């Protein structure tokens, strides 16, 4: 049960639990930052005009590179 919850998924990606955790925290923090920028942009349209778009492109590039280095990488990543 614990293996299924903590290590099975990272192992399928060729990662350790810690490596997977660091990557997930990085991606999540960037998404929270971009989401916050979007909410502020909704109220003050002159600020953060490109923040969310740049973040999406950067994360897409990051995940695409990771997927290319692992042949069994799924079509999606969470």
């Amino acid at each position: 049960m614990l293996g299924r919850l903590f290590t099975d998924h990272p192992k399928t990606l060729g990662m350790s639990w810690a490596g997977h955790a660091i990557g997930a925290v990085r991606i999540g923090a960037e998404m929270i930052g971009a989401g916050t920028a979007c909410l502020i942009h909704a109220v003050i349209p002159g600020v953060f005009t490109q923040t969310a778009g740049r973040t999406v492109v950067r994360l897409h590039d990051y995940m695409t590179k990771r997927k290319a280095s692992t042949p069994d990488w799924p079509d999606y990543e969470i």
Side-chain angles (χ1 to χ4, degrees):
M1 174 73 159
L2 289 178
R4 185 178 65 80
L5 291 174
F6 291 99
T7 58
D8 287 359
H9 171 64
K11 282 181 185 176
T12 65
L13 303 174
M15 302 173 78
S16 67
W17 177 88
H20 182 271
I22 290 167
V25 167
R26 176 186 172 221
I27 291 168
E30 287 197 49
M31 291 173 69
I32 289 169
T36 301
C38 283
L39 294 172
I40 294 169
H41 173 75
V43 177
I44 309 167
V47 298
F48 302 121
T49 58
Q50 298 178 9
T51 303
R54 282 194 319 257
T55 302
V56 168
V57 169
R58 186 173 52 252
L59 288 175
H60 177 266
D61 290 345
Y62 172 72
M63 288 188 230
T64 301
K65 287 176 188 170
R66 284 177 51 183
K67 181 178 179 178
S69 67
T70 306
D72 295 331
W73 201 272
D75 289 337
Y76 58 90
E77 176 184 358
I78 296 176

